[in-house]
Amino acid sequence: MIGEPRLLRTGIQEVLRLLFPPQCISCGEPTVSDFGLCGACWRQTPFVTGLVCDRCGTPLPGEDEGRAEFCDDCLTIARPWERGRSALLYRDNARKMVLALKHGDRLDLARPAGEWLFRAAGPILAEGMLVAPVPLHWTRLFRRRFNQSALLSRALARAAGLDHCPDLLVRARRTGSQEGRDRDGRFANLAGAIRVHPHRTDRTVGRAVLLVDDVMTSGATLAAAADACLGAGAASVSVVTLARVAKDA
Ligand SMILES: [Zn+2]
Ligand SMILES: [Zn+2]
């Protein structure tokens, strides 16, 4: 008797597999496993590997010798957070997938992306961390109906077994687009634009917070979000993004 439900489940899974064989999450070609990329798409998807900047996750030349190294940007720009990682470089197939997720065409990408985030964030994860997304302004949220960063942070929190607080942060004011602004302009545009939700401050006090965003460009948004968490009493802030815009990308 005990075995029967499992047999039934296996049977259902087999039928589903016949009806819906596993497909590449990028191009739809048949693959061997669910939620994976086919060989061709894998080769066109720039996963970050090897030595990375400990603060933003951008790849660095040289070998990983187990000590923290930093990129030029992180040595010159104030980064209020401690450590950071990124799963992908924002180009080629990674860029395509990030945009498909952002525009709502492919919300199913959040699940495999959560696994990639989990793998990338591995070295900076700590027990008891609170996972939270970088917020969209509510007018943009209203138009788009979802925050892609919240989908990613939920998938990551689930994969990592950590607490998730999707509404930890809110946009205090509407900010113009970051596009077309230089680095200083991007930071000025975001300064003070994000705060901890007034009903959520009790969750941040003394807590290590892990902020999640889809793309890191200048780091201005993450800096504003990290400042907000620290201002509300967070013990530390780390960041992880699905894709990092690297200088040579
Ligand atoms: Zn493919
Ligand atoms: Zn860096």
Side-chain angles (χ1 to χ4, degrees):
M1 279 304 277
I2 292 171
E4 273 179 15
R6 186 183 296 168
L7 262 182
L8 183 64
R9 219 167 23 239
T10 312
I12 290 170
Q13 277 166 358
E14 269 170 25
V15 170
L16 283 174
R17 243 179 147 67
L18 285 172
L19 291 173
F20 307 102
Q23 292 180 319
C24 170
I25 55 169
S26 182
C27 72
E29 285 291 305
T31 52
V32 285
S33 61
D34 286 312
F35 311 112
L37 290 164
C38 72
C41 290
W42 183 270
R43 284 188 291 278
Q44 287 166 39
T45 307
F47 285 91
V48 174
T49 55
L51 180 64
V52 297
C53 170
D54 198 51
R55 203 144 282 154
C56 75
T58 209
L60 293 174
E63 297 280 308
D64 188 350
E65 288 169 359
R67 63 163 185 268
E69 306 267 0
F70 303 99
C71 72
D72 291 346
D73 277 359
C74 289
L75 288 172
T76 50
I77 306 169
R79 304 281 199 214
W81 67 85
E82 275 175 18
R83 305 182 76 192
R85 288 294 184 275
S86 189
L88 301 158
L89 291 178
Y90 189 64
R91 57 175 159 80
D92 305 331
N93 198 44
R95 183 169 178 276
K96 196 180 107 190
M97 287 194 289
V98 167
L99 290 173
L101 180 67
K102 182 177 186 155
H103 295 134
D105 307 328
R106 293 292 311 277
L107 298 183
D108 59 302
L109 287 174
R111 180 169 164 172
E115 295 292 332
W116 300 338
L117 284 167
F118 178 46
R119 220 176 304 154
I124 64 170
L125 291 179
E127 226 172 285
M129 260 181 169
L130 181 65
V131 182
V134 163
L136 278 183
H137 191 267
W138 69 268
T139 52
R140 210 171 289 174
L141 189 62
F142 187 72
R143 219 176 323 136
R144 220 189 264 164
R145 298 191 312 279
F146 69 95
N147 174 3
Q148 73 276 10
S149 300
L151 299 178
L152 292 173
S153 63
R154 183 178 62 187
L156 167 62
R158 199 171 284 171
L162 293 169
D163 287 350
H164 183 223
C165 189
D167 60 349
L168 183 73
L169 296 166
V170 290
R171 295 266 178 173
R173 60 178 167 79
R174 189 139 166 64
T175 50
S177 170
Q178 289 288 78
E179 264 155 52
R181 294 174 201 265
D182 64 8
R183 195 169 76 197
D184 289 346
R186 283 170 175 249
F187 275 81
N189 186 35
L190 263 303
I194 295 173
R195 60 188 166 85
V196 170
H197 191 295
H199 294 161
R200 294 282 177 260
T201 47
D202 58 324
R203 297 200 69 176
T204 44
V205 178
R207 198 94 184 258
V209 176
L210 179 64
L211 295 174
V212 181
D213 207 354
D214 57 347
V215 182
M216 173 173 170
T217 307
S218 66
T221 314
L222 286 164
D227 276 336
C229 292
L230 294 169
S236 67
V237 178
S238 294
V239 304
V240 62
T241 55
L242 184 56
R244 173 82 169 98
V245 177
K247 271 189 183 152
D248 59 348

